[in-house]
Amino acid sequence: KDLCQYLPDALAEVGTIAAFARLEGGMYNTGVQVRLQDGRDLVVKISPPSTAPGLTYEAGLLPTEADYFRRALPLGVPVPEVLAAGTGVIPGRDHLVMSMLPGRPWWKIPQVPSGAGYPPVPTCHVHRRRSASLLPHTARPWLRFNGPCSSIGTSGTAMSS
């Protein structure tokens, strides 16, 4: 079944959908850009089914991302606002509804040299490390890997619908 059929339920407490378009290029979650009737643009991320094969750190990845955004936003870190998140709306999957930030997909961000003969590092990794460093150490025990820039990758694609 098409996951977009669940968007009205996932957005029930946020607003009414005027248009939506799938976001391309995601590495793990399904991303959808939504424009609400009040004009706000949002991003909805939907996890793979809980039965899908995956790496250990991928289990619960979307709730962890929502937790990071909720903790980082009040500290001034430029992250999306979490508008809704949970499980059960989409059978066997987590979802995250967040404000859309201006930007570009992570694969379009230039790389910065890492020096000392190491390969270049995508700029988004530099920004993620900086954002995490702004959080008090006690607020980030869940930041346990240096994975892809999923939040940057979904926040700047233009809606075509």
Side-chain angles (χ1 to χ4, degrees):
K1 292 185 177 182
D2 184 12
L3 294 176
C4 292
Q5 71 179 333
Y6 298 105
L7 288 176
D9 292 332
L11 292 159
E13 297 178 15
V14 179
T16 305
I17 299 170
F20 66 88
R22 282 193 180 254
L23 295 169
E24 300 300 324
M27 295 173 59
Y28 186 69
N29 298 301
T30 298
V32 180
Q33 181 178 345
V34 175
R35 176 160 295 137
L36 298 180
Q37 287 184 351
D38 65 11
R40 290 182 291 165
D41 286 327
L42 310 176
V43 172
V44 178
K45 292 177 82 173
I46 304 166
S47 72
S50 56
T51 56
L55 302 172
T56 304
Y57 73 83
E58 292 172 329
L61 192 60
L62 207 51
T64 301
E65 185 174 350
D67 184 48
Y68 169 76
F69 293 155
R70 285 182 178 123
R71 292 174 187 242
L73 188 63
L75 299 173
V77 179
V79 296
E81 177 185 1
V82 174
L83 304 171
T87 58
V89 171
I90 303 164
R93 298 172 185 246
D94 297 319
H95 72 279
L96 170 60
V97 179
M98 57 191 157
S99 61
M100 189 172 123
L101 299 177
R104 298 180 283 193
W106 69 266
W107 61 88
K108 291 185 179 180
I109 296 175
Q111 296 188 346
V112 293
S114 65
Y118 293 101
V121 177
T123 306
C124 61
H125 287 295
V126 173
H127 292 304
R128 175 176 271 179
R129 287 185 197 128
R130 182 176 180 277
S131 294
S133 70
L134 295 174
L135 293 174
H137 182 67
T138 56
R140 53 187 165 106
W142 36 263
L143 192 61
R144 59 187 188 263
F145 75 101
N146 189 14
C149 301
S150 58
S151 62
I152 294 173
T154 63
S155 63
T157 306
M159 185 170 0
S160 58
S161 299

